[in-house]
Amino acid sequence: MNVLSNSPRVRTAEEVYHQLKTLIMSFELYPGTRVTETELATRFGVSRTPVREALQRLQLEGYLTVRPKQGCFIREIDIEEIDEHYQVRIALEMCAVEMACTHMPDRALKDLARLWDPAYQPTEDIDVETMAARDEGFHIALAEGSGNLVLADYLQRVNHSIHVIRRLDFTNDMRVDLTYKEHHAICQHLIRRDVVAAQQALTQHIRRSQLAAKTITLEQLSRARSRVRRALRER
């Protein structure tokens, strides 16, 4: 059974990229699945050139690996490795918050607090990718506010490694609401220059997000695995 049999027709490399990314992020393309340029080009009704461009872009973003003469493989999800990245993330963010508490100006902290004030939370629906980007932006703002751009760069790298599951935290409206409240509370602690309270709140925030994203990931992987098994039985 063709894993892309239900994909809509696309024409450009940009469209191929977005469609493939959607299939990967939703686990419609199961982690470890092998795909080829020829298969994708046939399915999307394009030449291999736009497919190759899309695959190269996804490879750079860490969503798949390309093996010469074998094809492309969707990146495996290693839960233990993801947990280790979260441990590194917490360590980096604890350091960032400690320095931001000293170096980040009141004005910058108040502006950031206003952005995440639940009273000003957007009422319109926000797609998952947009919310994930906003969330990462908050944490990077604190890291940059520490005055240590090397630290901020390392945090960006860790975020890149966990993005594939971290974004799932924002598929739940209640988690989005809680993110606004927690971000705002962290800012308030920093405005008061209470580093201990800020670090405690941030650690709890990251741990909750990690647990929620991990739970959703395991559930989606289980459903995706069942789809693959059904497809194999129907061959």
Side-chain angles (χ1 to χ4, degrees):
M1 181 177 180
N2 189 332
V3 293
L4 298 176
S5 58
N6 294 321
S7 303
R9 293 284 179 176
V10 295
R11 290 291 180 268
T12 68
E14 186 72 14
E15 291 175 312
V16 172
Y17 162 79
H18 285 294
Q19 181 62 24
L20 275 176
K21 187 173 181 179
T22 297
L23 291 171
I24 293 170
M25 298 294 270
S26 65
F27 301 126
E28 289 295 322
L29 280 177
Y30 193 77
T33 297
R34 176 180 179 270
V35 293
T36 66
E37 289 181 9
T38 301
E39 174 191 21
L40 296 173
T42 299
R43 178 56 204 169
F44 291 136
V46 297
S47 69
R48 291 173 60 181
T49 299
V51 170
R52 187 177 302 115
E53 292 176 7
L55 291 176
Q56 289 172 345
R57 185 173 171 184
L58 288 166
Q59 181 187 13
L60 288 173
E61 294 178 359
Y63 291 103
L64 51 80
T65 57
V66 178
R67 303 174 190 171
K69 299 182 180 180
Q70 295 185 53
C72 301
F73 293 81
I74 308 305
R75 176 187 171 185
E76 296 277 5
I77 301 295
D78 186 330
I79 296 298
E80 289 186 5
E81 181 183 345
I82 294 292
D83 285 343
E84 290 174 353
H85 281 298
Y86 267 99
Q87 290 173 6
V88 174
R89 177 190 170 192
I90 288 174
L92 289 172
E93 295 214 36
M94 292 303 97
C95 184
V97 164
E98 182 177 1
M99 290 189 287
C101 199
T102 300
H103 300 294
M104 202 164 176
D106 285 349
R107 182 72 269 162
L109 287 169
K110 289 177 180 179
D111 287 344
L112 191 60
R114 182 177 176 81
L115 282 175
W116 291 96
D117 189 335
Y120 299 100
Q121 182 177 341
T123 56
E124 71 275 9
D125 290 335
I126 303 174
D127 65 85
V128 171
E129 290 299 327
T130 298
M131 186 59 201
R134 288 185 182 180
D135 175 63
E136 289 187 15
F138 170 80
H139 293 274
I140 293 300
L142 293 181
E144 291 176 343
S146 74
N148 189 324
L149 297 184
V150 174
L151 189 156
D153 180 62
Y154 278 126
L155 183 57
Q156 286 274 30
R157 297 183 196 183
V158 173
N159 287 341
H160 178 75
S161 298
I162 63 176
H163 179 76
V164 69
I165 76 163
R166 179 178 175 176
R167 59 179 287 281
L168 295 175
D169 187 27
F170 305 112
T171 58
N172 184 308
D173 289 341
M174 290 181 62
R175 285 293 309 153
V176 172
D177 293 343
L178 187 58
T179 295
Y180 270 86
K181 293 177 183 178
E182 292 177 343
H183 282 187
H184 188 256
I186 292 165
C187 288
Q188 295 304 315
H189 291 313
L190 288 172
I191 290 169
R192 291 192 294 271
R193 306 299 171 177
D194 188 340
V195 65
V196 173
Q199 288 180 322
Q200 289 176 343
L202 185 58
T203 300
Q204 292 173 356
H205 166 67
I206 295 173
R207 288 300 187 196
R208 288 193 190 102
S209 174
Q210 177 186 4
L211 179 60
K214 182 177 178 178
T215 299
I216 296 171
T217 297
L218 292 173
E219 290 173 350
Q220 290 199 3
L221 283 173
S222 178
R223 288 196 293 268
R225 192 179 300 114
S226 296
R227 288 196 300 269
V228 171
R229 288 172 177 169
R230 285 197 301 271
L232 291 174
R233 288 196 299 267
E234 292 170 0
R235 283 185 173 180

